[in-house]
Amino acid sequence: MKKALPLLTAAVLFAGTVLGTRLFLDGSVRAMGETLVYINNDSRNFCFQAMEEILQEGTIPVFGSSELSSSDGLAYPRALFHGGNSDFNMIMIGRGHTQSLHHAVNAGAMAELLPDQKAVLIVSPQWFTEDSLTSSSYPSRFSERMFARFLRNGALSRELRSAVAQRAASLMEQDPQQLARLESYDGIVLQHSLNPVEQLGQAAYDHFMETKAEFTLCWEGREWETLFTGERVRAEELDFDALRAEAVRIGEASCTNNDFYINDDYYTSYIVEKLAAYKGAGAGESYASSPEYSDLKTFLKVCRETGVRPLVVSVPVNGWWYDYWGFPKEDREAYYQNIRDICGSYGVALADFSDKEYEPYFLKDIMHLGWKGWVYVDEAVYEFYRQP
């Protein structure tokens, strides 16, 4: 008994320290609530406690990629909704190279948190290349924590979870460490490993990773300040027609050195020196066939099985630029129709902006939402949010 007492005491002290640390971190994350609303980065997006804090009534998650960082203009959600000082907020989740497969995992992991069980996915034509996701780009945006929660979501069929795990594993060949972790979760959660040592080790590792995610968020957020600005916004009072008119004024002032309606800085930095080489260079490109279509269907399957109602936003290409680049118009139309057909077959809402290829200032460059585009998207998302 005397020998066991020190071990018991040590175990109790260790457990108390661990519990105290988690309680402290949980409280710290809760205290950051307002600050986190428009902080779209991995430390927030991969911390379940942070998402639980901000996905409250009056919000809707908006999954996407690099367009979520296109912060120009008065209609960019962070600006339009005064940094969160609003009765409605779009919780943006994603950055460049974050595509349908990533968001299928995110939606499955977060489904229980989603207010009114609604979510938005902004799809970009540039996702739908012949290669789509690659083993060099996918691991850099992979979240082990969200993947683990996705696998443990009992609302999802084992078949769907297994298919997602296999697809993810096929893209992990260049990251053997993450592949090993993925296979470990697959074995324990889906294959129901009964090895008690493995189960105990996984439980300890899960706790460590959850704690690490909260600690990382709190550490990075030490110098963050709340983005709340101006008077509180009432979304129902927004005048989207007036915002579109103002967006045109800003766009006109921003696109003055080219005929493609590309903003001056982007055109100067990435286009002007190679302009002649770009002419006709896209003639052999196509978005008509891509593994990304299957990944998009996976996202919609996840939504269907978890009861999440998605809105898919279809963003157009810059028609003037794609004509110059030589990308066939019929292939662009085939892509847009593929998105329509998939959304129709799953019976989900679609905000189809494919008719805006030649609308000035819908995009700000050759692919990212611009001043006017954000007005259209904000309006579509808000109207979707208001639907019963």
Side-chain angles (χ1 to χ4, degrees):
M1 182 65 182
K2 291 183 178 180
K3 293 182 179 180
L5 186 59
L7 292 175
L8 180 61
T9 301
V12 170
L13 290 174
F14 176 76
T17 300
V18 170
L19 178 60
T21 300
R22 282 303 298 273
L23 289 173
F24 171 76
L25 290 173
D26 286 349
S28 298
V29 171
R30 284 194 295 273
M32 297 171 68
E34 292 179 353
T35 303
L36 297 173
V37 174
Y38 282 102
I39 299 293
N40 176 24
N41 64 19
D42 288 350
S43 61
R44 185 206 69 172
N45 297 342
F46 297 164
C47 179
F48 193 77
Q49 288 72 20
M51 302 313 296
E52 185 175 22
E53 182 65 31
I54 60 177
L55 285 172
Q56 302 289 339
E57 183 178 357
T59 69
I60 191 169
V62 179
F63 300 116
S65 54
S66 56
E67 73 283 337
L68 300 185
S69 301
S70 301
S71 57
D72 292 338
L74 75 172
Y76 182 65
R78 185 176 65 205
L80 182 62
F81 301 114
H82 291 187
N85 191 15
S86 173
D87 60 357
F88 170 72
N89 285 291
M90 295 162 59
I91 308 301
M92 297 182 289
I93 302 170
R95 56 192 179 110
H97 302 294
T98 310
Q99 299 179 198
S100 301
L101 183 63
H102 298 93
H103 293 313
V105 171
N106 288 332
M110 299 178 192
E112 66 184 88
L113 304 179
L114 303 188
D116 299 320
Q117 291 297 99
K118 290 181 181 178
V120 178
L121 176 67
I122 302 176
V123 296
S124 298
Q126 294 77 21
W127 294 359
F128 294 82
T129 61
E130 185 176 337
D131 294 331
S132 184
L133 289 170
T134 66
S135 55
S136 60
S137 64
Y138 178 73
S140 67
R141 303 294 187 260
F142 176 78
S143 168
E144 182 180 329
R145 300 310 313 132
M146 290 301 168
F147 181 77
R149 286 188 174 272
F150 169 85
L151 289 185
R152 290 196 170 95
N153 187 340
L156 293 165
S157 65
R158 185 178 182 278
E159 179 184 20
L160 181 55
R161 285 179 288 168
S162 180
V164 171
Q166 291 176 25
R167 169 74 168 136
S170 73
L171 295 166
M172 285 292 190
E173 60 183 33
Q174 293 191 27
D175 194 330
Q177 186 174 6
Q178 285 205 93
L179 176 60
R181 296 305 313 166
L182 187 154
E183 291 175 339
S184 175
Y185 282 113
D186 182 29
I188 292 175
V189 179
L190 295 182
Q191 310 303 325
H192 303 296
S193 169
L194 297 179
N195 184 321
V197 175
E198 286 186 352
Q199 295 281 5
L200 183 62
Q202 190 65 61
Y205 182 76
D206 285 351
H207 179 84
F208 166 75
M209 291 301 291
E210 295 281 7
T211 303
K212 179 183 177 182
E214 290 190 57
F215 178 81
T216 299
L217 179 67
C218 293
W219 180 261
E220 291 184 4
R222 289 172 303 153
E223 299 179 358
W224 293 345
E225 296 180 0
T226 180
L227 298 173
F228 274 36
T229 58
E231 297 181 359
R232 184 166 177 80
V233 175
R234 289 178 55 83
E236 64 180 13
E237 297 176 356
L238 291 171
D239 185 339
F240 290 103
D241 289 333
L243 285 168
R244 269 185 284 272
E246 180 65 10
V248 170
R249 187 191 66 77
I250 297 173
E252 287 175 343
S254 303
C255 304
T256 64
N257 64 0
N258 64 89
D259 297 323
F260 304 108
Y261 294 94
I262 294 173
N263 81 77
D264 293 348
D265 290 342
Y266 187 97
Y267 186 76
T268 300
S269 299
Y270 302 108
I271 301 294
V272 67
E273 291 186 1
K274 302 177 182 178
L275 183 61
Y278 278 126
K279 187 173 179 60
E285 301 292 330
S286 176
Y287 300 146
S289 178
S290 171
E292 188 68 29
Y293 290 110
S294 179
D295 291 341
L296 174 58
K297 292 175 184 177
T298 295
F299 173 86
L300 297 178
K301 289 175 184 176
V302 169
C303 290
R304 183 170 61 191
E305 292 193 7
T306 56
V308 172
R309 293 168 53 193
L311 168 68
V312 175
V313 177
S314 178
V315 175
V317 303
N318 180 322
W320 299 282
W321 176 254
Y322 268 60
D323 288 344
Y324 181 85
W325 188 36
F327 193 110
K329 190 168 180 59
E330 58 269 23
D331 281 82
R332 284 137 59 179
E333 292 299 333
Y335 159 73
Y336 298 135
Q337 189 59 49
N338 285 344
I339 299 299
R340 295 186 200 107
D341 290 344
I342 290 172
C343 290
S345 66
Y346 281 85
V348 302
L350 171 65
D352 185 1
F353 296 115
S354 59
D355 62 344
K356 307 296 184 186
E357 276 197 357
Y358 298 100
E359 181 153 344
Y361 319 120
F362 189 96
L363 300 179
K364 71 172 188 175
D365 45 44
I366 64 174
M367 68 184 75
H368 298 111
L369 287 169
W371 310 272
K372 202 172 184 181
W374 269 118
V375 180
Y376 280 112
V377 171
D378 294 340
E379 183 177 26
V381 170
Y382 181 60
E383 290 303 318
F384 175 70
Y385 163 80
R386 293 179 64 186
Q387 294 173 10

